[in-house]
Amino acid sequence: MTRFSVYRHSFPAERSTPGGKLALSEPDGRAVGYYRRTAWPRHDERVFMPLRSDWSTRACTIARGIDVVGDPWTLLILREAFAGALRFDEFTARTGISDKALSARLKDAVSAGLIERVEITDGPRPRAEYRLSESGADALPILHAFALWADKHAPHPERGTLGINCRACGARAQSADVCLSCGSRLTAENTRWTRPGEWDGAQVDLVGAQQP
């Protein structure tokens, strides 16, 4: 891991974390690392510990995939895009992300080809919609894998679970990409979610890649 000493006053974006560390954030609010205090050679020097690096050129396909969709906010934005969110305010309301952070994540998602930004001009005021691309729609099994893993290894009995159902046969999915009951692929067009928590069990037929 890359390490280098920096002076505290050099980065106004520092903030204290609950653990007493000093976090370094980018202007859009994304944390990029934290400082660890060093005793040598000077008491006011700190070692910067980056949270992540650029993995886009790694030989490992897992690393390259994480580089594109590994950010937690990006995954939640994709979740809401599958659930039908299109407008900026819908993503903020459904995820709790700040406007500044959402702007940065949507820009990154559009640049990565996960989301398509579409200008809508048929109303009284122009507006932008953010729609899943084919690449973004292909990320659905990733979200399903997270949900199934959390059901098994990180359960929360008071919050419920995300129900993943095959629309072809109605069975609850036990796999991330294929219905084990009827063999149908769990694409967005063939999947219905039952959403827990604040959604109070609402059922949502997913939305996949859309044409402008």
Side-chain angles (χ1 to χ4, degrees):
M1 179 177 292
T2 303
R3 300 182 182 182
F4 53 91
S5 295
V6 296
Y7 291 97
R8 179 174 180 176
H9 60 72
S10 300
F11 289 91
E14 290 180 352
R15 56 183 173 81
S16 295
T17 65
K21 297 175 181 177
L22 290 171
L24 175 63
S25 300
E26 291 182 350
D28 61 21
R30 284 181 289 184
V32 295
Y34 64 88
Y35 298 121
R36 188 179 67 190
R37 190 179 183 87
T38 61
W40 182 90
R42 294 179 51 165
H43 71 279
D44 60 348
E45 285 188 323
R46 302 172 188 276
V47 175
F48 177 68
M49 309 292 291
L51 294 181
R52 56 160 293 178
S53 303
D54 180 3
W55 299 331
S56 60
T57 60
R58 295 288 183 92
C60 176
T61 52
I62 295 175
R64 295 203 305 272
I66 290 173
D67 193 76
V68 178
V69 297
D71 175 77
W73 283 124
T74 298
L75 291 168
L76 293 181
I77 289 167
L78 289 175
R79 181 194 70 184
E80 295 311 319
F82 280 113
L86 292 170
R87 300 190 307 274
F88 190 96
D89 60 330
E90 291 178 322
F91 287 106
T92 55
R94 295 186 186 192
T95 64
I97 190 173
S98 69
D99 288 355
K100 183 182 292 186
L102 178 59
S103 294
R105 296 314 193 284
L106 287 174
K107 182 179 178 180
D108 289 345
V110 170
S111 178
L114 297 172
I115 298 283
E116 295 177 349
R117 188 179 191 275
V118 180
E119 296 290 341
I120 306 298
T121 59
D122 58 359
R125 296 180 59 185
R127 68 183 189 279
E129 290 186 351
Y130 297 90
R131 304 175 180 179
L132 286 167
S133 66
E134 290 188 13
S135 173
D138 283 345
L140 181 60
I142 298 174
L143 300 185
H144 287 169
F146 269 113
L148 294 170
W149 184 91
D151 284 345
K152 182 177 181 180
H153 299 289
H156 196 311
E158 296 180 0
R159 301 295 290 176
T161 62
L162 175 69
I164 304 170
N165 293 90
C166 173
R167 290 167 63 181
C169 70
R172 181 154 181 157
Q174 303 300 320
S175 172
D177 57 351
V178 175
C179 175
L180 299 183
S181 295
C182 70
S184 299
R185 292 186 61 233
L186 295 173
T187 62
E189 294 77 14
N190 191 41
T191 302
R192 176 178 293 124
W193 284 348
T194 302
R195 306 196 68 178
E198 59 267 36
W199 290 278
D200 198 25
Q203 293 190 336
V204 179
D205 290 343
L206 302 192
V207 177
Q210 302 180 60
Q211 297 297 320

